[in-house]
Amino acid sequence: MPELVFFSGTMDCGKSTLALQIAHNRDARGLQGVIFTRDDRAGEGKLSSRLGLVTDAVEAPRDMDLYAYLVTQLSQGGKADYVIVDEAQFLAPEQIDQLARIVDDLSLDVFAFGITTDFRTKLFPGSQRLIELADRLEQLQVEALCWCGARATHNARTVGGEMVVEGEQVVVGDVNRPAEEIGYEVLCRRHHRRRMTSASARAGALSPDVLPVSHA
């Protein structure tokens, strides 16, 4: 039976890499997929992973009807055996309903990949709707790590290396950006609650208040 499957995890845990692997495995068996994405780090109409892999995709703006797009493709002689959606958290809730309709009415597997919560630990509307509708929820097993070495469970937005908890829900960025830019970092819950990023931890370690005192 076709399924709507939601693969979720923090940033930097290999979601896009797995999406590309699923596409590769099916393409190797002669199957043809349609890949949707939104605001990928590699630019419009791309699905990329941090390992350097990239493929073409269909950019899915907020007002795009994903079900209608598939129906049009199929009615014009196109082929689609499965659907992959990366950055699914950015989709509107009604677009998630369209994905469910693709599964139910067109009998296609849909594999959606995304993070569940934003930098404020609030559910993305698209992810919330996926949790409500998906036939299956899969937590990625590749664990991203906080700077302290613990399992990372939260996504933090940083500006100048400092964690922020206010602002627009969607601001495109990535991990490993220069400190002066808007970026993201994955943290364990304890350090997310304390707003302690790797940069602030380094600054604390170098503070004169905690440096050893020489009595020489």
Side-chain angles (χ1 to χ4, degrees), residues 50-92:
R50 293 188 180 86
L51 299 182
L53 305 173
V54 62
T55 192
D56 291 330
V58 178
E59 190 73 16
R62 193 174 182 84
D63 59 352
M64 182 180 186
D65 187 325
L66 307 182
Y67 176 81
Y69 178 91
L70 261 296
V71 169
T72 299
Q73 290 290 103
L74 294 171
S75 64
Q76 293 178 350
K79 183 181 179 184
D81 298 301
Y82 65 92
V83 174
I84 286 176
V85 185
D86 198 31
E87 307 293 358
Q89 73 274 5
F90 294 147
L91 297 184

Side-chain angles (χ1 to χ4, degrees), residues 10-11 31 35 40 53 55 70 73 77 100-101 118 125 134 136 142 161 171 188 200 213:
T10 62
M11 299 180 73
L31 302 177
I35 300 175
D40 187 90
L53 305 173
T55 192
L70 261 296
Q73 290 290 103
R101 190 178 179 191
D118 63 17
R136 184 156 49 95
V142 177
V171 176
C188 63
S200 61
V213 177

Side-chain angles (χ1 to χ4, degrees), residues 8 30 180 182:
S8 66
E180 66 273 10
I182 294 177

Side-chain angles (χ1 to χ4, degrees), residues 29-204:
R29 299 295 180 267
L31 302 177
Q32 186 170 325
V34 173
I35 300 175
F36 293 109
T37 190
R38 167 89 62 81
D39 295 333
D40 187 90
R41 67 182 71 84
E44 183 173 332
K46 297 293 181 182
L47 167 57
S48 66
S49 80
R50 293 188 180 86
L51 299 182
L53 305 173
V54 62
T55 192
D56 291 330
V58 178
E59 190 73 16
R62 193 174 182 84
D63 59 352
M64 182 180 186
D65 187 325
L66 307 182
Y67 176 81
Y69 178 91
L70 261 296
V71 169
T72 299
Q73 290 290 103
L74 294 171
S75 64
Q76 293 178 350
K79 183 181 179 184
D81 298 301
Y82 65 92
V83 174
I84 286 176
V85 185
D86 198 31
E87 307 293 358
Q89 73 274 5
F90 294 147
L91 297 184
E94 56 268 24
Q95 290 176 305
I96 305 303
D97 287 280
Q98 293 159 15
L99 295 180
R101 190 178 179 191
I102 289 171
V103 175
D104 296 340
D105 294 358
L106 303 182
S107 296
L108 299 179
D109 283 315
V110 175
F111 306 103
F113 298 81
I115 58 180
T116 52
T117 57
D118 63 17
F119 68 104
R120 303 164 302 181
T121 70
K122 304 296 183 182
L123 282 169
F124 282 99
S127 297
Q128 178 178 335
R129 192 62 178 145
L130 273 165
I131 292 170
E132 293 166 348
L133 289 184
D135 297 296
R136 184 156 49 95
L137 303 174
E138 295 285 350
Q139 185 77 24
L140 266 69
Q141 297 304 306
V142 177
E143 294 184 351
L145 299 179
C146 178
W147 60 265
C148 69
R151 178 173 175 263
T153 53
H154 291 68
N155 304 292
R157 180 181 294 171
T158 60
V159 178
E162 296 294 324
M163 181 175 157
V164 296
V165 293
E166 295 181 352
E168 296 288 334
Q169 185 177 50
V170 178
V171 176
V172 179
D174 201 359
V175 295
N176 302 320
R177 286 227 173 164
E180 66 273 10
E181 297 182 11
I182 294 177
Y184 291 89
E185 183 173 347
V186 290
L187 300 173
C188 63
R189 185 181 64 223
R190 178 177 62 170
H191 287 126
H192 192 280
R193 288 180 56 247
R194 296 178 179 178
R195 303 186 188 181
M196 186 176 290
T197 65
S198 57
S200 61
R202 285 195 301 271

